[in-house]
Amino acid sequence: QVQPVESGGGLVQAGGSLRLSCAASGRPFSSYTMGWLRQAPGKEREFVAAINYSGGITSYADSVKGRFTISRDNAKNTVYLQMNSLKPEETAVYYCAARLGPVTRSAREYDYWGQGTQVTVSS
């Protein structure tokens, strides 16, 4: 139905910034709630941010509020995650996910997943 593909990960020093991109093909991109979730080594996958179909509703994990910004460009079928003031503990694989439903912080409620992109924050 929809196939997300992430890009933009890499190595950054603590305090630095990265912007992740997620391009999605398939059904009209504007139909989907889009989320970013991350998984650090040895830890469970955790919610980072999400945005609804129109971009009018966003949600963030408390740990990233004020530093990360999720946005979308439906004309380009792309969602972004701007990450500022990155911390070493935020080293993880970052996943883009999609669902035909409301914004949710629960990983199991997302139906379509990208392959992930590695973000490494050095101290």
Side-chain angles (χ1 to χ4, degrees):
Q1 297 288 337
V2 62
Q3 183 173 285
V5 179
E6 304 96 333
S7 63
L11 176 65
V12 64
Q13 291 189 6
S17 298
L18 285 174
R19 189 178 75 159
L20 306 183
S21 298
C22 173
S25 62
R27 287 183 57 87
F29 177 76
S30 59
S31 298
Y32 292 90
T33 286
M34 303 296 297
W36 287 98
L37 303 95
R38 66 191 178 193
Q39 188 165 22
K43 297 181 67 178
E44 297 296 318
R45 192 169 297 184
E46 68 171 351
F47 171 80
V48 177
I51 188 165
N52 80 332
Y53 68 96
S54 69
I57 300 173
T58 58
S59 182
Y60 297 92
D62 288 344
S63 62
V64 308
K65 286 182 179 177
R67 297 186 297 116
F68 290 14
T69 303
I70 188 169
S71 61
R72 68 191 298 161
D73 185 339
N74 287 342
K76 295 182 178 179
N77 289 357
T78 302
V79 63
Y80 305 96
L81 184 67
Q82 178 67 45
M83 305 187 293
N84 297 329
S85 301
L86 281 160
K87 304 174 181 180
E89 57 265 37
E90 293 176 314
T91 293
V93 176
Y94 283 69
Y95 296 91
C96 179
R99 72 187 303 258
L100 286 170
V103 165
T104 179
R105 299 186 176 202
S106 177
R108 68 180 181 86
E109 295 182 354
Y110 289 91
D111 301 307
Y112 309 101
W113 292 82
Q115 80 290 346
T117 186
Q118 177 70 45
V119 172
T120 302
V121 185
S122 65
S123 60

